[in-house]
Amino acid sequence: MYRSHTCGQLRLKDAGDKVTLAGWVQTVRKFGAITFIDLRDRYGITQLLFGEELNQELDQNPLGREFVLRATGIVQERSNKNANLATGDIEINISSFKILNKSAVPPFTIQDETDGGDDLRMRYRYLDLRRNAVKKNIELRYAVSRAARNYLHQQEFIDIETPFLIKSTPEGARDFVVPSRMNPGQFYALPQSPQTFKQLLMVSGYDRYYQVVKCFRDEDLRADRQPEFTQIDCEMSFVGQEDILNMFEGMIKHIFKEVKGIDYAEPVERMSWDDAMWNYGTDKPDTRFGMKITNLKTPYTVFETKDSSKKALPLGEGLGGAFGVFKNAETVVAIAVPGAAEYSRKQTDELAEWVKRPQIAMGGLAFVKVNADGTFKSSFDKFFNADQLKALAAFCNAGPDNLILILGGAEEKTRKAISELRLEMAERLGLRKPGEFKLLWVLDFPLFEYSAEENRWDARHHPFTSPKPQHVDIMINNNPVIENAEKYLEHPYADIKANAYDMVLNGNEIGGGSIRIYQRELQEKMFAALGMSKEEAIHKFGFLLGAFEFGAPPHGGIAFGFDRLCAILGGSESIRDFIAFPKNNAGRDVMLDAPSAIDEKQLDELNLKLDVK
Ligand code: ASP
């Protein structure tokens, strides 16, 4: 027996017992003739006391940090207790020990607050994983996976593996490809998700499928994305949207309960995509706080400029007297920030700089302070009188002490900017509370989005998502070709809504799915809408179209971003913290030094010749 207990196990009640522990040396503290060692394993830390006799032995075989040690002794009460440690009431008075392995000096301290930078820790990730802070994340990941699996198992889902070496099929992102030695000149692709396989499993009759599965997407890595990531991937047959929403609301609530002890009793709020975009400027709003967006450029938004006593003008034009940018702006939007009217000139200047950063790229920021005493102060006082400011404040639902922030510009960019500004202000005001969790379903997405690059429709979710039943006819009866690029919004396809849904948690999309197309005709129509010829559709998706001819049941599903879900539940911004061996922002594994070149012989076997640009 290597050890009788773990380093996190012993308590005062064990005093007097003879025990053997094994683990890593965290610290060595020598006090004259005695030495204290903190021994660490996965379960915790226990203090070992080496008395006078053993000290000589220790002098001959000095212990360093991260040495692997096995030690036997008697549990005794500590005189100097440590309330921060589960084992802090006791120590082990060691009678014999053995160094099981030595360690080089670790490149950073293996402690919660380490001195190691990101790159160094990733290079020595196996040491980083010894740190308690990282270990807690890995354990949480397992707890989330276990809770999801238990729930799905109870609901009669079965876990079915699907292949990793598949055919390259467009699903939105770029595929990673793998050359086939046995089939010269041909390539497999790694799945962006098991989407088509899970649909085929429905055709096969496995009406409740799930998999905690790796997905691969060769995307430009935006912040906090990984080229390989994990999904909880699910599919069900004989269901409509309502069934899916209920089933997976249940799963998330179960995870909250099991992993965080949270009873999320209330039904998950539902919001249409239109409302999300209109009120929050994003399809994944953080609804832990209000601060909804007010659209100031509607025909019925009326204000007057000082020098005009005539009929009120739309605000864009009214403000246009002050700022040309607002007059010409496609969109003018505002948020009323509670409790921020005291912002100093310096602070508002700093906010104006914030919106000019390249990530936001707005030209400037206008503001109105609604002072507690009912007076106003704005960045355009010269042009607006108190009554006009009052009307503006009322229109923005801004109460006393609010700071109204206004942005104007091109529609998409401005909405995105005000949405970012809303989050930033909430962050500054402490409204995005780490321990608070708010779920949201976003529904009724548009089925298509316009690709300006190719002047055609793209699937907003993926090509297997079905239109709302009442919109199927629009799809069947209209030609998808966009004659006039400028007026693509007037094309009937722009109105088609999808049977698709996203689950949002604290402003992050944690899951998304849809009710699928299951008839060959509609699926073919979809491929055609995306600009695929009949031949191309058969070449790429013939297997699926074929399967739809053999009694495909109505079906739908969802996939959750497992890494992201773990990160949010663990209170972290970064999914990397929850992946044992993650890649860096450039998609590299700095520990393995991958990707890397392969040698000539391998290339030869694969019939590949490189022409690196
Ligand atoms: N396969 C989809 C995705 O990865 C999820 C789904 O529709 O179930 O986004």
Side-chain angles (χ1 to χ4, degrees):
M1 186 182 59
Y2 253 107
R3 56 182 175 182
S4 62
H5 295 80
T6 70
C7 296
Q9 207 174 350
L10 295 163
R11 300 287 183 273
L12 207 46
K13 67 174 174 32
D14 302 304
D17 289 359
K18 187 172 185 189
V19 299
T20 299
L21 302 184
W24 287 263
V25 173
Q26 171 107 359
T27 53
V28 181
R29 299 185 308 276
K30 213 165 158 36
F31 292 103
I34 57 169
T35 299
F36 290 106
I37 286 178
D38 278 349
L39 195 69
R40 182 193 68 239
D41 67 9
R42 203 185 111 193
Y43 306 91
I45 288 177
T46 300
Q47 175 164 295
L48 312 182
L49 166 65
F50 290 73
E52 223 159 303
E53 282 159 43
L54 288 182
N55 247 321
Q56 289 178 4
E57 218 179 311
L58 274 185
D59 285 341
Q60 280 148 26
N61 301 288
L63 286 171
R65 282 194 283 144
E66 302 308 311
F67 275 42
V68 188
L69 184 70
R70 177 175 180 235
T72 300
I74 305 288
V75 182
Q76 65 184 31
E77 184 169 1
R78 251 161 95 159
S79 51
N80 198 355
K81 297 197 171 61
N82 180 349
N84 296 325
L85 219 56
T87 62
D89 286 350
I90 57 105
E91 63 193 359
I92 319 294
N93 194 343
I94 300 301
S95 50
S96 66
F97 72 93
K98 187 167 187 314
I99 296 173
L100 300 177
N101 211 345
K102 292 183 173 180
S103 170
V105 177
F108 49 85
T109 52
I110 314 282
Q111 263 155 11
D112 282 7
E113 296 296 330
T114 179
D115 55 0
D118 215 37
D119 202 49
L120 197 60
R121 288 194 292 108
M122 287 305 141
R123 205 148 6 116
Y124 295 92
R125 182 64 165 171
Y126 49 88
L127 295 180
D128 197 32
L129 284 163
R130 283 185 192 165
R131 292 171 54 229
N132 200 35
V134 185
K135 189 195 72 197
K136 273 198 331 236
N137 294 345
I138 300 297
E139 286 174 347
L140 180 129
R141 184 181 173 100
Y142 176 56
V144 176
S145 143
R146 206 173 52 222
R149 286 172 187 280
N150 285 345
Y151 176 84
L152 292 169
H153 177 72
Q154 273 163 22
Q155 302 290 337
E156 308 233 30
F157 283 76
I158 66 172
D159 176 353
I160 305 176
E161 288 158 86
T162 52
F164 277 175
L165 294 178
I166 67 165
K167 182 186 172 89
S168 184
T169 51
E171 217 191 283
R174 219 170 274 127
D175 281 335
F176 279 104
V177 294
V178 182
S180 165
R181 182 180 57 82
M182 311 250 272
N183 302 277
Q186 295 190 321
F187 295 80
Y188 299 103
L190 302 179
Q192 292 180 30
S193 83
Q195 184 61 36
T196 49
F197 288 101
K198 64 175 174 174
Q199 291 192 242
L200 292 175
L201 286 168
M202 295 304 112
V203 179
S204 308
Y206 297 89
D207 63 351
R208 291 185 172 198
Y209 143 95
Y210 87 97
Q211 200 180 175
V212 180
V213 64
K214 273 283 165 76
C215 302
F216 306 87
R217 294 182 193 177
D218 189 6
E219 292 175 301
D220 295 335
L221 297 173
R222 276 177 277 150
D224 207 26
R225 289 277 178 103
Q226 290 277 307
E228 54 175 313
F229 60 94
T230 306
Q231 284 187 343
I232 308 173
D233 190 46
C234 309
E235 196 76 5
M236 302 171 79
S237 291
F238 307 115
V239 287
Q241 176 166 298
E242 195 59 33
D243 303 300
I244 302 264
L245 300 189
N246 290 331
M247 177 63 77
F248 292 98
E249 200 165 312
M251 184 182 89
I252 275 301
K253 287 179 174 177
H254 181 77
I255 292 174
F256 272 18
K257 180 93 194 105
E258 293 296 302
V259 178
K260 304 292 290 184
I262 294 173
D263 256 318
Y264 198 103
E266 72 264 35
V268 173
E269 190 189 339
R270 298 179 182 193
M271 190 184 290
S272 73
W273 181 85
D274 283 338
D275 282 349
M277 295 306 288
W278 189 253
N279 291 323
Y280 299 95
T282 170
D283 57 6
K284 43 179 179 355
D286 188 341
T287 44
R288 279 176 295 181
F289 58 96
M291 243 196 268
K292 283 189 191 172
I293 296 168
T294 306
N295 186 7
L296 295 182
K297 201 153 184 178
T298 59
Y300 48 85
T301 314
V302 284
F303 297 98
E304 298 165 14
T305 54
K306 253 184 191 171
D307 54 11
S308 158
S309 56
K310 283 189 287 160
K311 229 169 78 56
L313 296 165
L315 178 67
E317 286 173 41
L319 279 180
F323 309 106
V325 291
F326 284 161
K327 181 166 187 184
N328 302 325
E330 198 180 358
T331 297
V332 181
V333 279
I335 49 171
V337 185
E342 301 86 47
Y343 262 42
S344 65
R345 175 68 194 266
K346 196 166 152 227
Q347 283 172 301
T348 50
D349 282 353
E350 191 263 325
L351 276 182
E353 285 311 310
W354 191 89
V355 302
K356 289 183 194 162
R357 296 175 329 148
Q359 302 93 308
I360 310 287
M362 296 302 293
L365 176 75
F367 67 83
V368 182
K369 290 178 183 174
V370 186
N371 296 322
D373 62 6
T375 61
F376 298 92
K377 171 97 196 96
S378 80
S379 56
F380 41 87
D381 276 351
K382 256 202 286 183
F383 304 95
F384 271 55
N385 61 31
D387 283 347
Q388 289 159 337
L389 292 176
K390 193 172 166 190
L392 172 65
F395 193 74
C396 295
N397 286 319
D401 243 358
N402 280 201
L403 173 67
I404 304 172
L405 299 173
I406 307 171
L407 291 174
E411 166 75 18
E412 212 179 304
K413 181 171 145 191
T414 308
R415 274 198 189 276
K416 199 158 172 278
I418 196 90
S419 153
E420 293 292 328
L421 184 61
R422 175 179 173 270
L423 292 179
E424 174 67 18
M425 294 313 294
E427 199 70 64
R428 291 182 186 203
L429 295 170
L431 299 176
R432 306 189 78 187
K433 297 194 191 90
E436 193 185 338
F437 296 101
K438 195 76 199 286
L439 291 161
L440 172 74
W441 284 115
V442 178
L443 309 171
D444 306 334
F445 284 78
L447 184 63
F448 295 107
E449 65 191 356
Y450 177 65
S451 159
E453 225 168 86
E454 310 193 39
N455 188 38
R456 64 164 173 80
W457 299 109
D458 255 344
R460 183 172 273 276
H461 185 44
H462 54 51
F464 316 107
T465 294
S466 68
K468 292 266 175 220
Q470 65 272 28
H471 292 165
V472 170
D473 283 350
I474 308 182
M475 222 172 122
I476 298 282
N477 299 331
N478 287 283
N479 184 343
V481 172
I482 302 161
E483 303 286 353
N484 184 347
E486 300 250 298
K487 296 200 169 163
Y488 75 89
L489 275 174
E490 289 170 23
H491 190 286
Y493 273 37
D495 295 331
I496 303 179
K497 292 282 199 264
N499 246 331
Y501 29 78
D502 274 0
M503 187 179 260
V504 175
L505 173 56
N506 293 358
N508 300 275
E509 181 199 327
I510 55 162
S514 58
I515 299 299
R516 324 296 184 188
I517 296 170
Y518 67 100
Q519 307 95 331
R520 179 168 184 146
E521 190 203 358
L522 192 57
Q523 188 64 69
E524 281 178 357
K525 187 83 192 170
M526 175 55 113
F527 290 144
L530 305 179
M532 255 185 247
S533 68
K534 252 201 154 96
E535 297 69 44
E536 200 183 346
I538 299 279
H539 174 69
K540 287 183 172 145
F541 294 109
F543 63 97
L544 188 70
L545 293 171
F548 283 177
E549 299 211 44
F550 293 95
H555 60 283
I558 191 166
F560 287 86
F562 180 55
D563 310 293
R564 173 87 43 213
L565 178 59
C566 294
I568 299 170
L569 292 176
S572 164
E573 289 283 303
S574 165
I575 64 172
R576 280 205 283 160
D577 296 347
F578 293 79
I579 298 173
F581 297 102
K583 312 256 185 296
N584 72 8
N585 285 343
R588 297 198 67 83
D589 184 321
V590 291
M591 182 181 74
L592 301 177
D593 191 22
S596 60
I598 56 172
D599 60 36
E600 280 299 326
K601 186 160 168 280
Q602 276 175 298
L603 283 171
D604 252 12
E605 279 174 352
L606 295 168
N607 296 286
L608 290 179
K609 264 208 164 50
L610 295 184
D611 179 18
V612 180
K613 301 273 187 316

